[in-house]
């Protein structure tokens, strides 16, 4: 696909439609006065065709615009930001079809209301600049929206995993081993696997693996544990079994060139998670766990240990299975990171199923609520020097009164010195949810009133508060000022 030619066609189509609508002409009317077919003109406006010179002269004449203005790539001010986006090729980097959107649909929307679309795009650009959002951030946000739109469950990938297990005689009722995964890569896909000490090179300290496509060599860090190794090997199997060509070669990735790489990385990761944590086996084990009236912390850790997967992979898998198989369609996933010695906690990854749930990333450097169990497990892991600290909590959000059952696991970050991370899944508490979780009837799970950030929190006398509620106070001042203004307006009207 020639991006430059496509851009020229799109720009001409936009200009033609704008010139036509400025004359209050329908496509039928333009076809009648030019004696060109309506379908042909429609193809031009959609950016699919570019007319020959004689046709452009004819169109310019009938629309009473100059030939030069029609063929110029310079857009009017009200279309300039749109032109920049089209020229950048960003729309082609994101496979809009996975969202059920065709690029031509966007062109129609743009052409029909250019001023409004221009204002919207300008606003998005300004917000992105204000919060220093990168191209990568945009791609990851698009991926998250894609996951959320599908409730993070992908039937075709689940089926691919089952097909793979049958073809390779992988027993999905037992914990799959690293040796079995290695054997598949070596014997079926011709891999060479080497283990190296990445940390000897400072620049490679954050990497877990590197794939060298020319020699089909997979380099694994000796610093990774068994679960991380299994995930990387399962992802490599996914890339091959799913016949993915446009892919990333490092884990965790250090860069990506286009959205296809991001999306394919997600597909491979989903496949790997479904292979290491088989759907039916997880459902069966969850059924047993949820039927308990008073499960112990050790039983949840034991449930995670039934699979050759990290706590993060296990929690991610819950976001696939709970909405689909347990009809729990309001939940969130969070990964928090904390550097020992600092007073900050950062959300590095989040996902919200069905609706935007209360805890969410904030780009204004505000302090996340210290009452979150996501924070508490990190604090406890540091205090007790635990490699895996698990806890659960019922969190009631002060601003909405919504309650969530939140599971959280904190572990060391193996690739960042003196850094811990917590993985959490929160499930909105509803009457139907309580029926599925038998232990919700007892009073053993601690309850806590929480906020989102200290700066926006109205909880009184909070001993854990890391910052005064400055955003909330400003909002209250504004509301009070508005109230007085309204009173004066009524008094003197």
């Amino acid at each position: 696909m020639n991006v430059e030619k496509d851009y020229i066609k799109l720009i001409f189509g936009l200009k033609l439609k704008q010139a036509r609508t400025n004359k209050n002409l329908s496509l039928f009317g333009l076809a009648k006065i030019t004696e060109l077919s309506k379908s042909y003109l429609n193809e031009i406006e959609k950016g699919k065709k570019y007319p020959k010179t004689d046709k452009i002269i004819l169109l310019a004449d009938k629309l009473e615009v100059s030939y030069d203005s029609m063929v110029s790539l310079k857009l009017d001010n009200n279309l300039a930001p749109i032109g920049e986006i089209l020229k950048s090729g960003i729309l082609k980097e994101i496979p809009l079809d996975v969202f059920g959107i065709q690029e031509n649909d966007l062109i129609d929307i743009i052409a029909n209301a250019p001023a409004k679309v221009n204002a919207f795009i300008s606003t998005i650009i300004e917000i992105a600049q204000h919060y220093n959002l990168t191209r990568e951030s945009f791609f990851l946000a698009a991926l998250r929206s894609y996951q959320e739109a599908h409730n993070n469950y992908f039937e075709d990938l689940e089926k691919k995993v089952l097909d793979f297990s049958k073809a390779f005689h992988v027993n999905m009722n037992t914990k799959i081993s690293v040796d079995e995964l290695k054997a598949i890569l070596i014997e079926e896909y011709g891999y060479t696997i080497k283990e190296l000490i990445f940390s000897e090179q400072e620049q490679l300290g954050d990497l877990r693996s590197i794939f060298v496509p020319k020699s089909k060599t997979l380099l694994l860090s000796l610093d990774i544990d068994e679960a991380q190794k299994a995930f990387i090997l399962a992802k490599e199997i996914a890339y091959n079994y799913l016949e993915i060509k446009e892919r990333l070669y490092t884990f965790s990735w250090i860069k990506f060139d286009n959205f296809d790489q991001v999306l394919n990385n997600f597909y491979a990761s989903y496949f790997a998670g479904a292979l290491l944590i088989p759907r039916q086996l997880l459902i069966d084990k969850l059924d047993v766990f949820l039927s308990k009236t008073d499960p112990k912390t050790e039983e949840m850790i034991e449930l995670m240990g039934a699979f050759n997967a990290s706590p993060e992979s296990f929690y991610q898998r819950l976001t696939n299975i709970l909405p689909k198989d347990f009809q729990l369609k309001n939940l969130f996933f969070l990964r928090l990171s904390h550097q020992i010695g600092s007073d900050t906690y950062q959300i590095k990854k989040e996902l919200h199923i069905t609706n935007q749930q209360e805890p969410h990333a904030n780009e204004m450097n505000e302090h996340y609520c210290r009452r979150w169990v996501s924070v508490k497990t990190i604090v406890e892991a540091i205090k007790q020097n635990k490699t895996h600290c698990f806890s659960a909590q019922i969190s009631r959000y002060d601003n909405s009164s919504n309650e969530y059952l939140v599971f959280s696991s904190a572990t060391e970050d193996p690739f960042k010195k003196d850094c811990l991370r917590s993985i959490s899944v929160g499930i909105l508490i509803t009457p139907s949810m309580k029926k599925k979780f038998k232990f919700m009837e007892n009073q053993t799970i601690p309850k806590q009133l929480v906020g989102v950030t200290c700066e926006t929190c109205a909880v009184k006398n909070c001993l854990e508060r890391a910052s005064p509620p400055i955003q909330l106070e400003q909002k209250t001042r504004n509301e009070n000022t508005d109230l007085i203004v309204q009173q004066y307006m009524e008094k003197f009207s």
Side-chain angles (χ1 to χ4, degrees), residues 34-75:
T34 59
E35 297 183 354
L36 300 173
S37 74
K38 180 184 172 184
S39 60
Y40 174 66
L41 292 171
N42 189 43
E43 294 279 283
I44 295 173
E45 288 193 357
K46 287 182 178 295
K48 293 182 177 180
K49 289 184 178 179
Y50 192 87
K52 292 182 180 178
T53 302
D54 60 326
K55 300 291 193 302
I56 298 175
I57 292 172
L58 174 64
L59 288 166
D61 178 56
K62 297 299 182 182
L63 292 170
E64 298 179 341
V65 295
S66 71
Y67 173 87
D68 288 342
S69 68
M70 287 294 290
V71 298
S72 169
L73 294 180
K74 186 177 180 180
L75 287 165

Side-chain angles (χ1 to χ4, degrees), residues 174-187:
T174 60
K175 184 189 289 189
I176 190 168
S177 70
V178 164
D179 288 341
E180 187 172 6
L181 296 169
K182 277 186 176 179
I184 292 171
L185 284 172
I186 293 169
E187 296 176 26

Side-chain angles (χ1 to χ4, degrees), residues 68-221:
D68 288 342
S69 68
M70 287 294 290
V71 298
S72 169
L73 294 180
K74 186 177 180 180
L75 287 165
D76 294 342
N77 288 338
N78 66 330
L79 287 175
I82 298 165
E84 288 301 311
I85 285 182
L86 294 175
K87 191 173 183 179
S88 72
I90 194 78
L91 296 179
K92 296 189 182 302
E93 290 191 31
I94 298 177
L96 296 168
D97 55 296
V98 302
F99 294 93
I101 301 169
Q102 298 300 317
E103 186 178 50
N104 289 330
D105 296 336
L106 291 182
I107 301 303
D108 278 345
I109 294 169
I110 290 168
N112 284 327
K116 292 180 181 178
V117 175
N118 171 47
F120 174 72
I121 291 173
S122 297
T123 301
I124 294 298
I125 291 171
E126 188 173 337
I127 291 171
Q129 290 172 339
H130 183 70
Y131 290 111
N132 196 29
L133 297 180
T134 62
R135 182 168 171 269
E136 288 78 8
S137 299
F138 177 77
F139 283 155
L140 292 175
L143 173 63
R144 188 167 65 246
S145 296
Y146 176 59
Q147 290 176 258
E148 292 169 355
H150 290 80
N151 287 337
N152 204 30
Y153 182 83
F154 296 85
E155 188 69 52
D156 56 333
L157 292 173
E158 299 283 347
K159 185 177 184 304
K160 289 283 187 183
V161 170
L162 292 178
D163 292 343
F164 169 83
S165 68
K166 292 175 183 176
F168 287 80
H169 287 274
V170 174
N171 188 345
M172 299 292 277
N173 293 313
T174 60
K175 184 189 289 189
I176 190 168
S177 70
V178 164
D179 288 341
E180 187 172 6
L181 296 169
K182 277 186 176 179
I184 292 171
L185 284 172
I186 293 169
E187 296 176 26
E188 180 70 18
Y189 297 115
Y191 271 50
T192 299
I193 300 175
K194 296 182 182 293
E195 298 190 41
L196 304 174
I197 303 175
F198 282 17
S199 55
E200 288 182 347
Q201 297 285 337
E202 185 180 351
Q203 292 83 355
L204 301 182
D206 292 341
L207 294 186
R208 298 159 174 80
S209 67
I210 301 172
F211 177 64
V212 184
K214 190 171 182 181
S215 60
K216 296 194 83 171
T217 300
L218 179 63
L219 306 175
L220 293 173
S221 170

Side-chain angles (χ1 to χ4, degrees), residues 455 468-486:
E455 286 80 355
I470 53 177
Q471 296 291 340
L472 182 66
E473 290 169 353
Q474 181 63 53
K475 180 183 176 184
T476 302
R477 280 195 298 270
N478 292 342
E479 289 173 349
N480 289 338
T481 299
D482 183 57
L483 181 62
I484 299 298
V485 169
Q486 293 301 323

Side-chain angles (χ1 to χ4, degrees), residues 437-449:
F437 288 69
K438 301 303 181 186
F439 52 81
M440 292 297 292
E441 298 298 327
N442 65 43
Q443 303 296 317
T444 58
I445 303 173
K447 294 185 178 183
Q448 185 67 270
L449 181 65

